[in-house]
Amino acid sequence: MTKNDDECPNPSMHAQTMTSLTTDKHSLTVQLPSSTYAGQASLPRLPIPALEDTLERFLAAVRGLLTSSRDDAGNELNECKELEECKREIQKFLTTDGPVLQKLLVEYDEEGRKEKTLGSYVEEFWSDAYLAPDSSVVMNLNPFFVLEDGPDVKTSKSQSMRAASLCFSAIKFASSLKKEAILPDAFRGKPLCMDQFRALFGACRVPSLADKDTVAVNPDSTHVVVLENNQMYFFQALWPDGTVAVNEHDILAILEAIKADASKVEPDVSCRNSLGVLTTLPRSEWAKARDIIVAHSDSNQTGLDIVDSALFVLVIDDVTPKDIHEAAANMLHGTHNLVSTGNLIDYQAGSCCNRWYDKLQIIVCQDGRAGINFEHSAIDGHTALRFVSDIFADTVVSFAQSITKTIYSDKSFFPSLINAEVRRGQALVTPRKISFDLPTTVLDKIYFAEAALSDQIVASDTFVLEFTEYGKGLIVHNKMSPDSFVQLSMQLAYYRLYGEVVSQYEPVLTKSFYHGRTEAVRTATELAAKFCKMWLDPKATTRYKLEAMREATKHHSVGVKLAATGKGLERHLFALMKIAEKNGLAIPDFFSSKAYKKLNHTILSTSNCGNPSLRLFGFGPVVQDGFGIGYIIRDNALQYSISSKHRQTERYAHTLKQTLIDMGSILEPLSSVKVACDPVATDINALSKEKDYLEAYDDVYGETTSADQMLDKKDAGHSSGENILKKSRLRGEPRASSQFARVLLRRQSSVLLSELRKFGKTIDVSSRSGSFDDL
């Protein structure tokens, strides 16, 4: 077995690293790779759609956004000028610049494949879309999770114990990933691309003045950085061979020692030296400040290297959110709490400065409430969700083991979820404090950065809607896709509040392809617009409303399936525009057309990402007048985290709640299900057919699920794109690549392990106040 599995030239070499998986629905046993990256070689390459198909889908996606002239009865009189102009722009692009750019894109993709420099035709361009903008990553890029409470009520309400528990599970996950022992993601028996996991640990977004940002990855990272009271500490978590160097009790002792040391510095002093707040600046300003810090002192360079190369950052917040809305806001951007010093100069006592937004962060509040904030340029929600799901589930299994070992004297009654070897040293690992020698110019910049961040926080609003009247169960019972139903609810709520159909974006997972990330589906289709208008029509009957709802959700589901199978329109059009830039060509007029701009001005930026480990998922809006909406679909509930700037977030949430109530009122209730009088005489074929129909709606779409296998069988093989996809799978052609995607910079830390053990001030851990044994 080669270390870099996705460069393996022969897929049969992976035969000895396969594991069995039995699927409940189909009662089939399939073979999945047991080595993390072993399935990479068998993944098909993301296909480039035909130009004609993409432009046809573009017209369909934008129709609902372009107004038309109608009579008093609502009948369309003629196509509006906007739509006519859109058709002319499409035809012009199709007959002039489009074919030229399509040819360049195909050649670019083939060259990247041949030279093994690109995983897909859109990879470089999509990475640049994250790394090139100069705007702050806070509220503009980084998403967040709020975790459910821990399984053990004794530890889940203790900040130090909850932090130690999550940190230990995360370290074990990192250890297992380093040894490539994490089972690869799969959907319905087919492996998904695991390339993003190479940038999960030891990764850092690094600002640059010369060019766009980079994501530097240190694959040999062994330490964890802890942020408390705006001060930074670190401790060794792994041995060089990837074995875990500390257990949960050790981490608890380390965290309590750090807490005792951090409390020695007054909050107003720590705020003035909160280096992490500089990561909230526009990227060019952060790059300038960073250069000044490095030039001022060699130890500053070492300190930044330690932070950059850490496995992740564990954030200990000195705040207790008063409600779920504040908990979501804290994970998105921290809290804002100005305290007066008596001389009219306030200092920031909130948690907003206690962050390092360029890295993966595990955040734990005073009441034990925990969450994640992650840098988004190299990993998507699905990758972060897998990490969070595993570490949360590992804490559940550990709790179960603590119970069963008192009965069975063997904790293996519940086998560990994350298998990682723990080898503690003879002496307890001691944390060390990272101190920086900051010149006055940087101290001033910290103050200005905090003030600018506070402006953003004050201008932003986050509101949580936890809808509990129904969920996935009722929607599936009515033979509709839960995700499509929820998507439609958000558009209808906006229409009820503002009387306008607006652009709505949903990412769809494409990790069934090599180096796949996401494609987009647009919800505001012509059928969605028809549904919204009919819903407010006093003459429309319940029957017609329900029919319109079904048509709109079915159409959305088809769009999701197309996007998941590489037949979307967003990434293809974006790549065509970028290939023109790359070749020094003028950007075609099509990309400055009113229709294209309207589609890409996303008022409702939405994403579906969640499972039982999460209570909330969310992010900020992507345009100034928009909403950012993360949602989770549960069996009997729907949860939305809604953020905006200068808009009526709470009012929109209340409108959305009433919309859900109204939409649910016309559905067939679950209680109306009838029991068959003679189950033995049930028509088996009819039952099987019904099951196949329902399975199309049985999975939550969006970033949590690949819909590759959901394409209707009757449509398979009819388009050239499908034939290409089928042939690539039959060939089983290996997809060679470097160990990291093009966006990533493989970076060996300039700080040796021996230097890590000497850098900074040693923190005494001998006098900790409590332990797990005390319970």
Side-chain angles (χ1 to χ4, degrees), residues 588-606:
D589 294 338
F590 171 80
F591 294 105
S592 58
S593 66
K594 188 171 184 178
Y596 187 82
K597 286 183 176 179
K598 199 163 190 176
L599 184 68
N600 285 276
H601 187 77
T602 305
I603 300 294
L604 297 176
S605 179
T606 74

Side-chain angles (χ1 to χ4, degrees), residues 123 172 240 270 276 354 370 390 394 406 480 572 595 632 692:
E123 183 174 28
K172 288 194 295 179
S270 70
N354 196 46
D390 276 21
D394 186 62
T406 65
M480 284 184 276
H572 185 203
I632 300 174
D692 289 341

Side-chain angles (χ1 to χ4, degrees), residues 123-139:
E123 183 174 28
E124 177 187 9
F125 305 134
W126 196 241
S127 297
D128 286 353
Y130 284 111
L131 295 170
D134 190 46
S135 56
S136 169
V137 298
V138 185
M139 291 176 274

Side-chain angles (χ1 to χ4, degrees), residues 532-707:
C532 291
K533 293 168 185 175
M534 182 175 290
W535 194 269
L536 295 190
D537 183 356
K539 299 178 182 179
T541 64
T542 298
R543 174 189 169 188
Y544 286 127
K545 289 180 180 180
L546 184 58
E547 287 179 358
M549 183 192 298
R550 290 193 183 282
E551 289 179 358
T553 56
K554 285 181 180 179
H555 188 71
H556 178 268
S557 295
V558 171
V560 169
K561 295 168 189 176
L562 288 170
T565 51
K567 300 168 190 172
L569 63 98
E570 298 269 336
R571 305 298 182 257
H572 185 203
L573 289 177
F574 180 73
L576 290 172
M577 180 174 64
K578 290 300 179 180
I579 201 68
E581 290 182 1
K582 190 176 183 69
N583 286 273
L585 302 176
I587 304 300
D589 294 338
F590 171 80
F591 294 105
S592 58
S593 66
K594 188 171 184 178
Y596 187 82
K597 286 183 176 179
K598 199 163 190 176
L599 184 68
N600 285 276
H601 187 77
T602 305
I603 300 294
L604 297 176
S605 179
T606 74
S607 185
N608 167 18
C609 186
N611 63 27
S613 68
L614 298 188
R615 183 168 179 184
L616 294 173
F617 154 65
F619 47 88
V622 298
V623 293
Q624 286 294 317
D625 57 340
F627 291 94
I629 310 175
Y631 59 97
I632 300 174
I633 300 173
R634 305 196 188 282
D635 289 341
N636 298 296
L638 304 170
Q639 289 167 284
Y640 303 77
S641 178
I642 309 169
S643 297
S644 74
K645 301 175 181 178
H646 303 294
R647 299 208 67 170
Q648 301 175 84
T649 312
E650 184 174 354
R651 185 178 181 185
Y652 173 76
H654 290 323
T655 305
L656 177 57
K657 180 178 180 179
Q658 187 60 51
T659 298
L660 290 169
I661 292 172
D662 295 343
M663 289 175 68
S665 69
I666 67 173
L667 300 180
E668 178 184 312
L670 287 169
S671 59
S672 66
V673 176
K674 297 179 180 179
V675 178
C677 296
D678 186 6
V680 178
T682 300
D683 186 332
I684 300 299
N685 292 329
L687 183 62
S688 176
K689 187 175 182 181
E690 179 74 2
K691 178 183 176 184
D692 289 341
Y693 177 78
L694 288 176
E695 276 181 0
Y697 306 106
D698 193 47
D699 286 280
V700 179
Y701 297 156
E703 283 204 50
T704 59
T705 305
S706 164

Side-chain angles (χ1 to χ4, degrees), residues 32-50:
L32 291 176
S34 59
S35 176
T36 305
Y37 305 109
Q40 295 295 97
S42 64
L43 294 173
R45 196 174 180 89
L46 185 67
I48 300 177

Side-chain angles (χ1 to χ4, degrees), residues 85-97:
E85 181 184 346
C86 175
K87 290 180 177 180
R88 287 194 298 270
E89 290 290 349
I90 289 174
Q91 187 60 32
K92 177 183 175 183
F93 184 64
L94 186 59
T95 56
T96 56
D97 301 305

Side-chain angles (χ1 to χ4, degrees), residues 68-72 75-79:
S68 57
S69 176
R70 296 178 182 272
D71 60 21
D72 294 337
N75 301 312
E76 188 173 292
L77 296 175
N78 54 6
E79 290 188 339

